[in-house]
Amino acid sequence: MRKLGKLLLLLLVLVLAADAIWQVTHPVSLQGFFTNDDYNLFPAETIEKEYSSLIHKRVNFEDSLYIISGSSDPLVTASTSKIMAYIAAKELDFVVSTKEVLEHYETGLSMEDLQILVPELSPYFVYRTQSDGTQKAVALEMSQSRFVQGRHPEKPYYLFIPRNSIRTEASRDFIRWAFQER
């Protein structure tokens, strides 16, 4: 029985070492979260496979997060915590979610100005007035994206980029792909 325990421990160490090597040799080039996707418009695994095969880089998308402002539900608490942890670690490149989630985060989170990043998509921008009186495009309405176009227009989804994202060019490329004609 002791030998089995040692073998299992050795196997665990080998798996963790292999994972660490994989992470170092195949870094994530884009990290995105899709939250509150009640209509399954953003199937993360499918989008991840399609986009990563196009750019030949590793991307990581997740669609299992759900956020309701003021809720103490364990899933909501875990989802909110995960988003904040990834933002703090400068590992979150974009979030796609509902208007309520956008409004929840825009009060305490500095966001990238999409007007600078993807000016060609200005018809879909959500602008907010900044403290200096200027207008800033804090989010992008996704109704004309390849994921939403023609589906459930009564519930809009928005993409926003935390200001501390270190891969804004990768986010820009993803956004442009998301709005390209198929």
Side-chain angles (χ1 to χ4, degrees), residues 10-117:
L10 178 61
L11 181 61
L12 177 63
V13 168
L14 289 173
V15 167
L16 290 174
D19 183 58
I21 291 168
W22 171 262
Q23 296 295 332
V24 169
T25 60
H26 297 86
V28 170
S29 64
L30 186 63
Q31 176 77 45
F33 291 160
F34 303 100
T35 77
N36 299 35
D37 185 10
D38 295 332
Y39 303 105
N40 198 30
L41 298 171
F42 306 98
E45 188 175 315
T46 302
I47 297 169
E48 185 178 293
K49 284 179 184 174
E50 185 177 351
Y51 191 65
S52 66
S53 70
L54 176 74
I55 65 169
H56 306 292
K57 293 182 180 175
R58 184 170 168 237
V59 298
N60 189 28
F61 299 149
E62 186 171 334
D63 62 2
S64 64
L65 304 175
Y66 207 86
I67 298 169
I68 301 170
S69 188
S71 174
S72 61
D73 179 271
L75 173 63
V76 172
T77 302
S79 296
T80 303
S81 298
K82 185 168 187 172
I83 288 175
M84 294 312 294
Y86 271 71
I87 289 171
K90 298 181 180 180
E91 287 297 321
L92 182 58
D93 298 310
F94 69 85
V95 175
V96 173
S97 195
T98 60
K99 182 179 181 180
E100 295 78 22
V101 173
L102 170 64
E103 290 171 348
H104 171 77
Y105 281 106
E106 75 180 330
T107 58
L109 177 65
S110 182
M111 296 184 190
E112 193 68 39
D113 189 350
L114 297 174
Q115 204 165 258
I116 295 167
L117 202 59

Side-chain angles (χ1 to χ4, degrees), residues 109-113 136 161-166 168:
L109 177 65
S110 182
M111 296 184 190
E112 193 68 39
D113 189 350
K136 181 178 181 180
I161 300 173
R163 181 81 172 107
N164 72 344
S165 170
I166 59 173
T168 54

